[in-house]
Amino acid sequence: QINFVACQLFALLAAFWFRIYLSPSHASSAVRHAFATLFGVYFAVFCFGWYSIHLFVLVMMNYGIMNMASIPNIHRYSFVVAMGYLTLCHISRIYIFHYGILTTDFSPLMIITQKITTLACQLHDGIGRQAEELTAEQNRLAVKSRPSLLEYLSYLLNFMSIIAGPCSNYKDYIAFIEGRHVHMKLLEVNWKQKGYDRLPDPSPTGAVMYKLCITLVSLILFLTLTKNFPMAYIIDNEFLDKTPFLSRLGYLYVVTQAAKPKYYFAWTLADAVNNAAGYGFSGVDERGTFRWDLLSNLNIWNIETATSFKMYIENWNIQTAAWLKRVCYDRAPWYPTALTFILSALWHGIYPGYYFTFLTGILITLAARAIRNNCRQYFLSSVPLKMAYDVVTWAATQLAVCYTVAPFVMLAVEPTIKFYKSVYFHMHILSILVLLLLPSRPQASSLRRAPNQATMNSVKSK
């Protein structure tokens, strides 16, 4: 943890230096690629020592696949090799070398796996598929040619994301290195109507300072709350014997909240590092404010006020959710929700707790979707009804999330089963009853997509 914080702080300083002294106006794209890669390799070796060899081995293996594999299969081979290597590392470190619980940190390898599979899928979209076969997002992100070795290494090993991510799209990263990243976003706005004679020059300094304040608060909360409210206490025998069921649920919410600051700290600091280098500009909002959240991994306000399981997931670990959507959900031939949750569990590791969490998440997601599709329309007729609906769904969402993620923190089988027994498997039972009793209704988004698909089929037939 000390190495992680030290490396991220050094990376923050390097990012400021990179933006000032190696800006596109001062250095060529090749120089920027080279320095981003060299800094990244240095930080990886400094922070992870010999373990960083895994990063370099996986990167070079997949560079060979990217250049030798046929385009129709490039995304499949890259996915199998990257996920296979990551899984073997998880298995060997835990079950062969017996490093035990809570001693493995494969975050850099996990991030590189995301990038490798993202690039392979986008390369397949750009070269191996027709434009009309792609969604609007796939068309925008499609890569039309294989990257050079320097571009490939820079994308995967750059110092801004090698320690804690996040995963970004290849075309966005190349646009940043070449100095087109901000300009492309600014061109989406009609600045003359806003009274500007020329394009503004947004600075990330304000966004970086704001995110550093969040990291400081998160660090303080981690050092105070997290240590004083351990997740293990919810399965303590004395606690279970003396605490009523509803009080146990309340304490479960408290310990889950206490576990969040470390994620808020790591992800927000990683976002600030990218912004400090000038990467992460996402455009202008409706109030005319410059946004630097292209690479943000979480929206804390939306997380804490989420009124649906889906809304919570969409605002937690945002870039990983986007990766899962692009490489699995959008491409799965069947059962996309189930396959996406399973891939997420496999990507996180092989601790049993991960699989309890994500398999439970499948059940609760389907049940929450059924409740929303069948019931929400009855509460939109008046403000008081809508407010009551939001309050109830907020409480239900927060408790459902706490119930789902507890095994993710406990990791092992025995404490997970003991916890679920102590709360009578109530969320599992309720979710199954909901799926059995409520009729299946199509989502509004599905209904909206249907005409678009019909239009696309008509265009293709013509």
Side-chain angles (χ1 to χ4, degrees):
Q1 291 177 343
I2 293 174
N3 275 359
F4 169 81
V5 174
C7 273
Q8 285 296 78
L9 292 177
F10 284 135
L12 184 67
L13 296 175
F16 278 116
W17 181 87
F18 188 83
R19 180 165 63 90
I20 296 171
Y21 295 103
L22 286 180
S23 65
S25 59
H26 289 87
S28 66
S29 298
V31 171
R32 285 165 61 82
H33 276 304
F35 271 85
T37 306
L38 290 173
F39 282 152
V41 170
Y42 172 77
F43 287 137
V45 173
F46 175 81
C47 189
F48 302 106
W50 68 267
Y51 158 65
S52 58
I53 294 173
H54 288 299
L55 308 181
F56 309 139
V57 169
L58 181 58
V59 167
M60 296 313 299
M61 284 171 57
N62 276 274
Y63 183 72
I65 291 172
M66 189 188 68
N67 282 280
M68 292 186 292
S70 62
I71 288 298
N73 295 309
I74 190 171
H75 59 307
R76 297 189 182 96
Y77 295 156
S78 295
F79 181 88
V80 169
V81 170
M83 284 301 303
Y85 192 92
L86 176 63
T87 304
L88 285 175
C89 286
H90 283 304
I91 292 172
S92 65
R93 191 165 174 84
I94 297 169
Y95 293 112
I96 297 177
F97 295 104
H98 303 292
Y99 276 61
I101 297 290
L102 295 176
T103 59
T104 59
D105 180 12
F106 282 95
S107 297
L109 198 61
M110 293 161 70
I111 296 297
I112 283 180
T113 297
Q114 286 187 354
K115 289 184 176 183
I116 286 171
T117 52
T118 295
L119 176 56
C121 286
Q122 291 171 352
L123 191 60
H124 173 250
D125 289 342
I127 303 178
R129 301 173 68 188
Q130 299 297 321
E132 58 268 19
E133 298 174 352
L134 308 177
T135 65
E137 183 188 57
Q138 288 172 343
N139 228 327
R140 180 179 67 84
L141 298 174
V143 179
K144 304 294 184 181
S145 62
R146 288 182 170 93
S148 67
L149 177 60
L150 181 58
E151 291 170 335
Y152 188 78
L153 294 177
S154 176
Y155 171 62
L156 295 178
L157 300 175
N158 69 82
F159 72 95
M160 297 170 290
S161 61
I162 194 168
I163 304 298
C167 173
S168 61
N169 294 299
Y170 177 77
K171 286 183 74 172
D172 289 335
Y173 179 75
I174 293 300
F176 157 69
I177 290 292
E178 294 177 354
R180 299 180 286 107
H181 168 60
V182 174
H183 187 74
M184 288 165 52
K185 300 292 183 181
L186 292 175
L187 289 177
E188 297 173 2
V189 179
N190 190 335
W191 292 100
K192 288 187 177 180
Q193 287 185 353
K194 296 180 178 292
Y196 286 82
D197 295 330
R198 57 181 180 176
L199 292 179
D201 184 19
S203 171
T205 304
V208 172
M209 293 300 109
Y210 171 73
K211 291 171 184 178
L212 288 179
C213 289
I214 293 178
T215 61
L216 179 60
V217 172
S218 300
L219 181 61
I220 293 171
L221 291 175
F222 172 73
L223 296 175
T224 54
L225 286 180
T226 306
K227 304 296 183 182
N228 294 325
F229 294 96
M231 183 67 76
Y233 189 64
I234 64 174
I235 56 172
D236 180 77
N237 290 328
E238 184 179 355
F239 173 78
L240 295 176
D241 292 338
K242 295 182 178 179
T243 310
F245 175 70
L246 292 179
S247 298
R248 293 203 299 271
L249 291 184
Y251 189 79
L252 174 63
Y253 175 74
V254 172
V255 297
T256 304
Q257 292 297 101
K260 291 179 183 177
K262 67 178 180 180
Y263 298 102
Y264 290 171
F265 171 81
W267 289 339
T268 307
L269 182 56
D271 193 11
V273 169
N274 282 275
N275 290 170
Y279 189 25
F281 183 70
S282 59
V284 183
D285 63 18
E286 59 278 1
R287 294 173 298 177
T289 305
F290 298 124
R291 300 193 340 255
W292 288 85
D293 58 357
L294 181 70
L295 304 175
S296 294
N297 235 336
L298 74 170
N299 186 317
I300 297 176
W301 175 257
N302 286 350
I303 288 170
E304 302 301 341
T305 60
T307 56
S308 71
F309 204 73
K310 179 176 181 289
M311 180 180 175
Y312 196 105
I313 293 173
E314 286 177 346
N315 289 280
W316 176 270
N317 206 352
I318 295 170
Q319 302 307 322
T320 294
W323 168 71
L324 289 167
K325 179 179 183 296
R326 288 169 186 152
V327 304
C328 183
Y329 189 89
D330 289 344
R331 301 171 193 272
W334 56 80
Y335 305 118
T337 299
L339 289 175
T340 300
F341 273 105
I342 292 170
L343 173 59
S344 184
L346 185 65
W347 175 77
H348 277 90
I350 56 171
Y351 287 121
Y354 296 154
Y355 296 86
F356 277 104
T357 287
F358 289 108
L359 291 175
T360 302
I362 296 172
L363 190 62
I364 293 179
T365 298
L366 295 175
R369 183 183 299 168
I371 293 173
R372 181 179 179 85
N373 292 343
N374 282 277
C375 302
R376 186 173 183 271
Q377 64 267 26
Y378 299 114
F379 294 90
L380 301 179
S381 57
S382 66
V383 174
L385 275 177
K386 178 64 167 60
M387 188 175 297
Y389 176 84
D390 287 342
V391 171
V392 171
T393 52
W394 172 83
T397 297
Q398 299 301 320
L399 289 176
V401 168
C402 296
Y403 180 93
T404 304
V405 304
F408 192 95
V409 180
M410 296 176 182
L411 297 178
V413 174
E414 288 187 11
T416 296
I417 298 298
K418 186 177 182 180
F419 162 71
Y420 278 147
K421 282 183 177 179
S422 72
V423 292
Y424 314 115
F425 291 90
H426 68 280
M427 281 290 178
H428 286 93
I429 295 170
L430 289 173
S431 297
I432 292 171
L433 289 175
V434 165
L435 293 174
L436 291 175
L437 298 177
L438 289 182
S440 177
R441 293 175 182 267
Q443 289 180 276
S445 58
S446 298
L447 293 174
R448 286 194 300 269
R449 281 197 299 267
N452 294 335
Q453 187 61 46
T455 302
M456 179 62 74
N457 291 338
S458 175
V459 170
K460 289 171 72 175
S461 66
K462 289 179 182 178

